[in-house]
Amino acid sequence: MGIQIEFNPDLALREYGTPDREESECLPKTLIKGETYNFLKKGQRIFWLTDNEYWNKGEMPLVITKGNQILSKPIASIKIIEVTHFLFEREPYTKGKYKVIEVFDPYDKEIKFESYKRINKK
């Protein structure tokens, strides 16, 4: 028997106000550059906390999920700054905090990430 975990190269949250979801499972009503927000994900998730020159100072994409791994293009660049695993009703969860580095214009066609790597940073 092993430990089931999931490695996440991005943070995928539901749209603001999604019914039957906790507030921290969803995006805030407005994303603001420089602000820090809470997140909650079911399951034991591993997020990248590295802050070094090889990994674009730890930036990762923030995307919208509709569930079943249906994801939007990145809507922002973030840094995960805190992660905690815990059990709730015998189920593992991951909660934490992320800081918004840049919010992307949804009409901008420029590619912001290539897999996990931030590109074209101005």
Side-chain angles (χ1 to χ4, degrees):
M1 183 171 151
I3 299 169
Q4 186 174 14
I5 62 170
E6 183 174 327
F7 290 86
N8 292 130
D10 54 23
L11 178 59
L13 298 175
R14 301 287 178 146
E15 289 189 52
Y16 172 77
T18 299
D20 300 322
R21 296 291 175 167
E22 297 291 326
E23 184 177 327
S24 55
E25 290 180 280
C26 301
L27 293 164
K29 189 172 187 175
T30 305
L31 275 176
I32 301 171
K33 180 179 177 176
E35 291 293 314
T36 300
Y37 302 94
N38 296 319
F39 72 88
L40 175 67
K41 299 291 289 180
K42 188 172 183 179
Q44 195 165 345
R45 311 294 181 110
I46 305 296
F47 291 99
W48 168 41
L49 299 172
T50 304
D51 191 6
N52 68 51
E53 63 193 76
Y54 303 108
W55 296 84
N56 292 308
K57 306 267 185 225
E59 291 180 39
M60 65 189 322
L62 176 63
V63 297
I64 301 170
T65 181
K66 294 191 182 295
N68 298 318
Q69 299 177 349
I70 300 170
L71 306 174
S72 71
K73 69 179 188 174
I75 61 167
S77 178
I78 64 166
K79 286 186 182 183
I80 302 285
I81 57 174
E82 182 180 305
V83 176
T84 303
H85 299 117
F86 68 99
L87 293 173
F88 178 71
E89 296 180 354
R90 301 184 67 159
E91 290 287 332
Y93 282 83
T94 303
K95 66 180 177 178
K97 296 180 184 293
Y98 64 97
K99 181 177 181 178
V100 178
I101 305 304
E102 184 178 349
V103 178
F104 302 140
D105 178 347
Y107 301 106
D108 184 357
K109 301 288 186 206
E110 184 178 16
I111 296 171
K112 305 297 185 184
F113 281 88
E114 189 172 275
S115 181
Y116 61 86
K117 185 179 177 189
R118 176 76 193 271
I119 57 174
N120 297 329
K121 186 173 179 181
K122 295 175 184 170

